[in-house]
Amino acid sequence: MVALLRLRRLETESREAMLGSVPIRVGERIQTPLTWGIRRNVILLPEALLSGDPAVCESALRHEQAHIARWDWVWNLLAEIVCAFCWFQPGAWWLRRRMRLESERACDDRVLLSGLPDWTMRRTLCKFCDRSEPAKSLPRWLKAGEWRNV
């Protein structure tokens, strides 16, 4: 419940913007691109992302649009509810974590299949890797330091 209130606060503190034909919300306090909402999906992007490389911004936007198309926020909410009721069951927590990881990978795949070059996706991951997920969930090439070649 606290996380929902934080998301709502981030949304109200951000400003509306258009990226191409896509309505988004941009804010200084947003650390990483994210999507949330059930009836009205909201894409929140960091302000620094818009002033940077347009290719990185495009790949982040497509990634968030893939989350919306897959209804990932609804599935994550359901997983949270299951974990709340089955808090004593380690398998429920493991499945929730695994589901989130696979969701991210599926959205990354969708972005790559949409025609963007893989180097733009690598740049996007490098830009936000140290802010979002723990190092053990990062792709092998990013852990190995190959991102320096991007």
Side-chain angles (χ1 to χ4, degrees), residues 80-98:
E80 290 295 325
I81 292 169
V82 167
C83 285
F85 285 113
C86 301
W87 58 268
F88 52 88
Q89 178 54 262
W93 295 95
W94 181 82
L95 284 172
R96 180 192 69 142
R97 185 179 185 299
R98 192 74 194 154

Side-chain angles (χ1 to χ4, degrees), residues 89-125:
Q89 178 54 262
W93 295 95
W94 181 82
L95 284 172
R96 180 192 69 142
R97 185 179 185 299
R98 192 74 194 154
M99 184 184 76
R100 285 184 177 176
L101 211 82
E102 293 304 323
S103 165
E104 291 300 323
R105 288 181 180 158
C107 290
D108 290 344
D109 289 345
R110 211 176 247 208
V111 170
L112 291 173
L113 290 173
S114 73
L116 277 179
D118 65 345
W119 62 267
T120 61
M121 197 62 202
R122 286 183 180 203
R123 277 195 185 157
T124 305
L125 286 173

Side-chain angles (χ1 to χ4, degrees), residues 41-90:
N41 294 306
V42 177
I43 297 176
L44 299 170
L45 295 178
E47 202 163 292
L49 184 68
L50 294 179
S51 61
D53 186 2
V56 171
C57 191
E58 177 69 20
S59 67
L61 181 64
R62 285 189 191 188
H63 179 91
E64 296 308 319
Q65 288 174 321
H67 280 299
I68 291 171
R70 290 174 31 89
W71 289 66
D72 284 340
W73 205 84
V74 175
W75 292 114
N76 285 334
L77 183 62
L78 287 173
E80 290 295 325
I81 292 169
V82 167
C83 285
F85 285 113
C86 301
W87 58 268
F88 52 88
Q89 178 54 262

Side-chain angles (χ1 to χ4, degrees), residues 10-26:
L10 278 176
E11 181 184 354
T12 56
E13 290 175 356
S14 61
R15 63 179 168 79
E16 288 186 43
M18 293 292 283
L19 194 57
S21 62
V22 181
I24 59 169
R25 301 210 45 107
V26 180

